[in-house]
Amino acid sequence: MTQLTTGTERRTSLLAALALLGVTAAWGSTFFLTKDLLDRVPVLDYLAVRFAIAGAAVYLLFPKAVGRLSPASRRRAVVLGLLYGVAQILQTAGLEHTAASVSGFVTGLYVVATPLFAAVLLRQRIGAVTWGAVVLAMAGLGVLTLSGFSVGYGEALTFVSALLYALHIVGLGAWSTAREAMGMTIVQLAVIAVVCFVVTAPDGLVLPATTADWVSVVYMALVAGALAMAAQTWAQAHLPPTRTAIIMSMEPVFAAFFAVMLGGESLTARMLLGGAMVLTAMLVVELVPRRKIEAEVTHISV
């Protein structure tokens, strides 16, 4: 019976890792679309509309999911939504004052911050193999994204957003359950949309003006928004936060892949080397026996 349970847990863990990898691929596919769309629609307006559509879509599919959440789970989902929403705003504000490549690297520092927060907040013991994978992933992100670096206002804002993303990953890992995944997804998406609407409201809301732009927004809302958030919330019910963060560091690798395949960018040696380093880091945490990677997740209360 124990062997059967262990086998089931391993299959579920593998499925969760694959789901999370699919999430990072979905996020990576949006970069070249977003870059084009933001020439015509302000960033926060785009985010507000995107997450509003995403939240409404999940609610229409699972209208009773929020009602099945316990009061504690609702509070936790609100906290997670606030963390993610504020992180999005700070990352966007930082991007106005720094290069996109530098922003991508600094945002990726959540890979380092996540195990630190997990160790402090969840009292997890982070092993040497995991720290090695974290360092390798960060080095790969640097090779993939950086062509120059200086610390200023934009980098500081982006760094704070990376810390908030790390807290979101840790909180989601501690609080999410497979049974409550849809309800927590709806609340998180709604809170993110409200945060973005509140920030952009004073200047008025700018909507996409063409059918092509609306198609892009709907794709990013449904696939990279609703589906991705639901998959991440479910997956993190089965994965430790640090393992999650390392898998999610594949996002810029997928972004580079789609930029080359669909966005017309040229493939470079740095893309190949950086991507290989991040992929290796992910494989390390997936293939090394779990007992050497991370302790069990401890749930924290709110």
Side-chain angles (χ1 to χ4, degrees), residues 67-156:
R68 287 195 288 265
L69 292 177
S70 67
S73 293
R74 289 195 191 98
R75 289 195 300 272
R76 292 165 178 172
V78 169
V79 171
L80 293 171
L82 286 172
L83 286 172
Y84 197 94
V86 174
Q88 289 271 307
I89 293 170
L90 291 178
Q91 183 184 15
T92 300
L95 188 57
E96 295 178 354
H97 301 279
T98 189
S101 59
V102 174
S103 176
F105 175 76
V106 177
T107 301
L109 289 174
Y110 68 75
V111 177
V112 177
T114 297
L116 293 176
F117 284 137
V120 173
L121 298 176
L122 306 183
R123 297 182 179 86
Q124 287 185 348
R125 177 183 170 276
I126 310 300
V129 173
T130 299
W131 278 118
V134 167
V135 171
L136 183 59
M138 283 309 305
L141 288 174
V143 172
L144 190 64
T145 61
L146 288 182
S147 56
F149 186 83
S150 62
V151 178
Y153 179 68
E155 289 78 13

Side-chain angles (χ1 to χ4, degrees), residues 16-17 20-21 23-24 27 110-111 114 130 165-166 168-170 172-173 232-233 235-250 282 285-286 290 293-294 297:
L20 203 56
L21 193 61
V23 169
T24 65
W27 287 341
Y110 68 75
V111 177
T114 297
T130 299
Y165 284 131
H168 180 264
I169 292 171
V170 172
L172 200 55
Q232 183 187 358
T233 302
Q236 285 207 241
H238 305 285
L239 296 174
T242 300
R243 186 178 170 197
T244 295
I246 293 173
I247 295 173
M248 287 170 63
S249 69
M250 283 290 292
M282 187 193 71
V285 298
E286 289 305 309
R290 196 83 290 119
I293 291 296
E294 224 170 338
V297 175

Side-chain angles (χ1 to χ4, degrees), residues 51-52 55 74-86 89 184-198:
F51 285 109
R74 289 195 191 98
R75 289 195 300 272
R76 292 165 178 172
V78 169
V79 171
L80 293 171
L82 286 172
L83 286 172
Y84 197 94
V86 174
I89 293 170
M184 292 191 73
T185 295
I186 294 168
V187 175
Q188 286 181 86
L189 291 171
V191 171
I192 295 167
V194 168
V195 168
C196 293
F197 271 119
V198 167

Side-chain angles (χ1 to χ4, degrees), residues 6-18 234-235 238-239:
T6 301
T8 301
E9 290 176 350
R10 286 177 178 172
R11 285 193 293 272
T12 301
S13 178
L14 177 59
L15 184 59
L18 291 174
W234 175 83
H238 305 285
L239 296 174

